[in-house]
Amino acid sequence: MTKIRIYELAKELNMSSKELIEQIEDLDIDVSSHMSSIGIEEAELIKELFEETDEEGDIEKNVKKDKEKTDAELLEDEEEEVIEVGETIIVRDLAEKLDLNPSELITKLIGLGVMASQNQSIDAETAALVAEEFGATVVINSDEEEIEEDIFDLDFEDRPEDLKPRPPVVTVMGHVDHGKTSLLDAIRETHVTRSEAGGITQHIGAYAVNVNDKKVVFLDTPGHEAFTSMRARGAQVTDIAILVVAADDGVMPQTIEAINHAKAANVPIIVAINKIDKPESNIDRIYQELVENGLLPEEWGGDTITVPVSAKNRIGIDELLEMILLVAEMQELKANPNRTAVGTIVEAQLDKGKGPLATVLVQKGSLKVGDMVVSGTSSGRIRAMIDDKGKRVKKVGPSTPVVILGLSEVPNAGELLFSVDGEKTARYYAEKRKEQLREEQLKASTKISLDDLFEKIKEGEIQDLNIIIKADVRGSIEALAQSLEKLDNEEVKINIIHGGVGGITESDIMLASASNAIIIGFNVRPNLNAIEVAKREKVDVRTYRVIYEAIEDIQAAVKGMLAPTIIEEVLGRAEVRATFKLPNNTIIAGIYVLNGKITRNSQVRLLRNDVVIFEGGISSLKRFKDDAREVLAGYEAGLGLDNYNDIKENDLIEAYILKEVER
């Protein structure tokens, strides 16, 4: 309870309501009747005053004493009032701290030439000026610093005697298409590359591998320049960096970035010179380029280990693994497994059935099922943990990657994760971070599309381009946002007003409509309702499978070069009602066409929870036993996909064609 009625307080003080009202009128507390309410703090002050009075025998003596204070003393008291604010503060919050009506504060701000409503933010300097007018002193206290201190409290240094050996964490880095994932495949004997769109890695993956009976954890980072920040995170949590350089291509811009990230994180670098099987490979040229970038190979008298390899033909893989173990041994990597856990969120996403999922690399302590954890604005109790092989585990120690279930929301990739004592503590730290983000957001018409963006810029109608990003995982949002914000120029500023995990929904469309924003979907699609709302609200929705295509489109639009001659036309959608396995192991989907039509020569996307999991052609389309050229809405059919069998009930199939249009 935050308030108390006058009659209740009078009862506590053993006096009548009338007597109490008469007495507290002298204290400038506004009450009209015995049913009036006052705050708990005011009530406590009144109680203290009456207790003092009982000791002296007369309340009026105290009231009189207070009234007899000189103006100078009162002014001195007011000047002693100190309030803390962050880099910015909401007008309403400042009024509350100064014990003022917001309208009084707004009037004073107007007098200072500042136009702001009670829900808007003002900077700390303005807050200090206006507080001065009311006799208060402002102390600037950054929320960010507070949070950093709080988080620092959750971690601590371990005693040397508590430390035990732990597996090394190895990050695979390098330029796009230099063979990082292929190299990891050769080590893991898996085929990750096949599942990646456009032949490039879009997310960070964490994998534990046994090498000569010793465990090594590998992080695979994307090589495209858009994922600079993701690579940086990889370097921060890693012990050894494997720098993959293609022998036929040499040191490229992202190779240099990877070197800088590894150096900044102070981790040793092992250079894997890949594709040595190619006739145009030139190892000596690679050595020269490495020297130019501050890495002197051992072969040339330096201390940088270089290993010629061919991921494709499995040449030099064993030698590379031996070098990893050698460097790890020299580092004497240790951690305390018997303490509260600290880890890093490597990747995070939203699963419709399981809720928020986060891939965590445990760095200190042991993480257990049932632990309360906090990461940024997200907190919760761990319901389950799954290792990189898909097995459920109860407890994991340092240098172990696991997927955890139980968080309240999808955390940001790169956030630290802490195990804490209880739910109350977890919520406290999560709320702290939410407050900070809320203030940042507070700092932060005609519909716009990429097609007419440049014309509007030229006409002076557009100074800001608002963008909403939806993607299948958090890391992609961050990478896209950072890349797009770099495209600012003198005429237009790019603002990322929202980023979220999952398919494009009606609420995203309405936000875009209200903010005059365009929506960029990466590996996700709008649902049927969202498509209809987007048409009605005339919101431009662009979807992409490869990240640099999105960046190039925005860049071209900003510079006035966007001239698409090919557009996508969605023909219809169908729902998978059942699946059938043919003798040749091909999966046929029994579909029901929801709207539009599905044609035999159209391209299709397979959507699961509005996330694109396949894009390609139709291998077969049949009505009963007959081949069909098209199937209209309301009809059932059997459909097979080109070289793809992972079809499940309730999946959606979206048919589309690409057509040229005159501009």
Side-chain angles (χ1 to χ4, degrees):
M1 190 168 68
T2 56
K3 289 185 179 286
I4 186 170
R5 294 195 186 273
I6 291 295
Y7 77 88
E8 292 172 329
L9 182 59
K11 205 178 282 183
E12 285 185 37
L13 294 168
N14 199 23
M15 63 194 307
S16 71
S17 299
K18 190 177 178 182
E19 286 176 323
L20 180 60
I21 291 168
E22 286 173 359
Q23 297 285 6
I24 65 176
E25 275 178 356
D26 294 329
L27 302 176
D28 290 332
I29 295 174
D30 187 25
V31 292
S32 57
S33 73
H34 69 289
M35 292 300 291
S36 299
S37 297
I38 60 172
I40 292 294
E41 289 181 4
E42 291 175 325
E44 290 299 324
L45 286 170
I46 292 168
K47 285 180 187 176
E48 285 175 22
L49 189 60
F50 274 81
E51 283 168 11
E52 289 173 13
T53 303
D54 289 340
E55 290 172 12
E56 296 177 16
D58 189 3
I59 186 171
E60 289 179 12
K61 197 181 285 184
N62 282 302
V63 174
K64 190 177 177 184
K65 191 177 172 185
D66 285 339
K67 281 194 160 186
E68 285 174 356
K69 280 188 176 181
T70 65
D71 291 344
E73 285 174 330
L74 287 170
L75 185 64
E76 193 180 331
D77 287 348
E78 286 177 7
E79 285 177 349
E80 287 173 0
E81 187 183 357
V82 176
I83 60 170
E84 290 187 0
V85 303
E87 299 292 338
T88 62
I89 186 168
I90 298 168
V91 171
R92 185 183 61 249
D93 293 346
L94 181 59
E96 197 175 306
K97 286 179 182 284
L98 293 168
D99 198 22
L100 296 169
N101 191 304
S103 59
E104 293 180 69
L105 189 60
I106 291 167
T107 305
K108 191 63 73 174
L109 283 168
I110 292 169
L112 295 170
V114 178
M115 303 297 290
S117 72
Q118 65 173 357
N119 295 318
Q120 284 181 304
S121 295
I122 55 173
D123 58 50
E125 290 179 7
T126 307
L129 281 171
V130 74
E132 223 173 90
E133 296 284 327
F134 294 100
T137 304
V138 164
V139 175
I140 300 172
N141 185 18
S142 170
D143 284 347
E144 196 170 336
E145 287 174 11
E146 281 181 26
I147 287 173
E148 283 175 4
E149 286 171 14
D150 287 337
I151 285 176
F152 182 75
D153 291 342
L154 293 173
D155 198 6
F156 54 88
E157 287 297 318
D158 295 293
R159 296 180 304 175
E161 58 266 30
D162 295 332
L163 300 176
K164 295 180 180 178
R166 65 169 178 84
V169 180
V170 180
T171 300
V172 185
M173 308 173 94
H175 192 75
V176 63
D177 203 32
H178 274 203
K180 299 177 303 299
T181 310
S182 300
L183 180 64
L184 195 57
D185 282 348
I187 296 169
R188 296 165 56 221
E189 296 184 342
T190 59
H191 303 280
V192 174
T193 312
R194 291 182 185 176
S195 63
E196 296 286 358
I200 65 169
T201 303
Q202 308 278 342
H203 318 307
I204 292 182
Y207 314 97
V209 177
N210 285 318
V211 180
N212 299 340
D213 296 325
K214 293 181 181 177
K215 187 178 166 187
V216 179
V217 176
F218 284 91
L219 294 183
D220 177 30
T221 64
H224 189 265
E225 66 177 352
F227 292 91
T228 300
S229 62
M230 294 176 76
R231 267 201 314 277
R233 281 201 304 275
Q236 286 163 9
V237 300
T238 197
D239 303 308
I240 302 168
I242 304 290
L243 184 68
V244 181
V245 185
D248 61 335
D249 212 0
V251 174
M252 303 297 282
Q254 280 99 19
T255 316
I256 298 166
E257 283 177 14
I259 292 170
N260 294 336
H261 289 315
K263 283 183 175 178
N266 198 28
V267 291
I269 299 171
I270 300 174
V271 181
I273 304 172
N274 195 21
K275 305 184 183 182
I276 59 167
D277 53 304
K278 288 196 171 184
E280 58 269 36
S281 64
N282 187 339
I283 293 176
D284 285 336
R285 179 169 70 92
I286 304 297
Y287 288 164
Q288 182 60 46
E289 290 173 349
L290 289 172
V291 171
E292 290 169 4
N293 289 281
L295 296 179
L296 186 60
E298 282 185 335
E299 286 78 3
W300 285 16
D303 53 6
T304 301
I305 298 171
T306 59
V307 184
V309 299
S310 169
K312 187 179 175 182
N313 298 327
R314 292 189 63 80
I315 300 169
I317 302 297
D318 291 339
E319 190 182 347
L320 177 64
L321 294 175
E322 282 173 21
M323 290 296 116
I324 291 170
L325 292 174
L326 179 66
V327 172
E329 195 178 313
M330 297 297 290
Q331 286 184 282
E332 295 185 349
L333 302 168
K334 291 181 179 180
N336 178 10
N338 304 311
R339 53 158 287 169
T340 53
V342 178
T344 298
I345 304 290
V346 176
E347 191 53 271
Q349 64 190 78
L350 184 66
D351 185 277
K352 194 174 181 181
K354 298 174 182 173
L357 301 179
T359 304
V360 181
L361 180 68
V362 181
Q363 292 164 288
K364 300 178 182 177
S366 293
L367 200 61
K368 304 183 293 294
V369 172
D371 282 356
M372 280 301 301
V373 292
V374 60
S375 179
T377 62
S378 179
S379 63
R381 191 175 298 279
I382 298 177
R383 298 201 314 269
M385 293 195 299
I386 302 161
D387 66 13
D388 60 302
K389 294 174 182 66
K391 294 178 182 175
R392 288 200 171 219
V393 288
K394 293 284 180 70
K395 182 179 177 181
V396 293
S399 300
T400 309
V402 283
V403 175
I404 64 169
L405 285 76
L407 291 173
S408 58
E409 58 186 78
V410 180
N412 287 316
E415 286 274 11
L416 288 171
L417 178 132
F418 300 94
S419 175
V420 293
D421 291 336
E423 191 175 348
K424 193 176 177 182
T425 309
R427 283 186 179 174
Y428 167 76
Y429 287 106
E431 286 300 320
K432 276 275 212 176
R433 183 56 61 90
K434 280 179 184 173
E435 282 175 29
Q436 184 196 24
L437 293 174
R438 205 176 293 125
E439 289 200 4
E440 287 175 359
Q441 285 168 0
L442 286 165
K443 289 180 192 175
S445 43
T446 56
K447 304 296 187 290
I448 185 69
S449 73
L450 286 190
D451 296 338
D452 61 5
L453 175 64
F454 189 64
E455 288 302 316
K456 288 188 182 283
I457 293 169
K458 283 200 298 187
E459 292 165 11
E461 291 181 25
I462 297 291
Q463 286 82 43
D464 290 350
L465 174 59
N466 296 328
I467 296 175
I468 293 170
I469 300 172
K470 293 301 293 284
D472 52 343
V473 294
R474 279 276 181 193
S476 300
I477 299 170
E478 186 181 323
L480 256 172
Q482 288 198 351
S483 299
L484 294 175
E485 284 170 350
K486 290 177 186 175
L487 303 179
D488 285 357
N489 61 25
E490 293 174 1
E491 287 84 20
V492 63
K493 183 178 186 302
I494 293 173
N495 302 315
I496 310 300
I497 63 169
H498 175 64
V501 175
I504 299 164
T505 63
E506 303 98 296
S507 61
D508 297 321
I509 304 294
M510 295 313 296
L511 176 61
S513 178
S515 316
N516 193 19
I518 66 169
I519 296 178
I520 289 178
F522 180 67
N523 270 348
V524 296
R525 294 286 298 169
N527 58 40
L528 283 175
N529 291 340
I531 293 171
E532 292 303 315
V533 176
K535 285 179 185 173
R536 189 177 71 236
E537 297 291 327
K538 295 182 172 59
V539 171
D540 191 14
V541 179
R542 303 279 173 133
T543 56
Y544 301 91
R545 288 273 281 161
V546 180
I547 196 166
Y548 47 74
E549 290 177 1
I551 297 164
E552 286 168 0
D553 268 9
I554 301 289
Q555 188 175 27
V558 170
K559 292 180 179 177
M561 299 183 300
L562 188 65
T565 55
I566 298 175
I567 66 165
E568 178 188 295
E569 183 185 334
V570 176
L571 298 177
R573 279 198 180 189
E575 184 182 33
V576 178
R577 297 282 175 89
T579 58
F580 308 94
K581 193 173 184 179
L582 299 182
N584 63 358
N585 289 328
T586 301
I587 300 294
I588 297 295
I591 62 169
Y592 177 80
V593 183
L594 299 170
N595 67 342
K597 61 183 180 181
I598 309 292
T599 64
R600 177 67 177 83
N601 59 352
S602 60
Q603 294 291 102
V604 292
R605 296 186 185 91
L606 186 67
L607 309 177
R608 192 167 296 156
N609 302 326
D610 296 325
V611 175
V612 181
I613 60 170
F614 168 81
E615 201 164 18
I618 296 174
S619 61
S620 66
L621 183 66
K622 293 190 176 188
R623 284 269 299 147
F624 303 104
K625 292 184 179 182
D626 300 325
D627 289 332
R629 289 179 59 189
E630 64 179 36
V631 182
L632 302 176
Y635 288 94
E636 296 178 336
L639 179 144
L641 299 177
D642 279 340
N643 302 315
Y644 194 80
N645 281 338
D646 183 20
I647 309 171
K648 295 180 181 176
E649 285 184 28
N650 301 319
D651 285 353
L652 290 177
I653 290 175
E654 183 177 75
Y656 66 96
I657 56 170
L658 301 173
K659 64 178 187 179
E660 291 189 8
V661 293
E662 291 185 12
R663 295 191 54 81

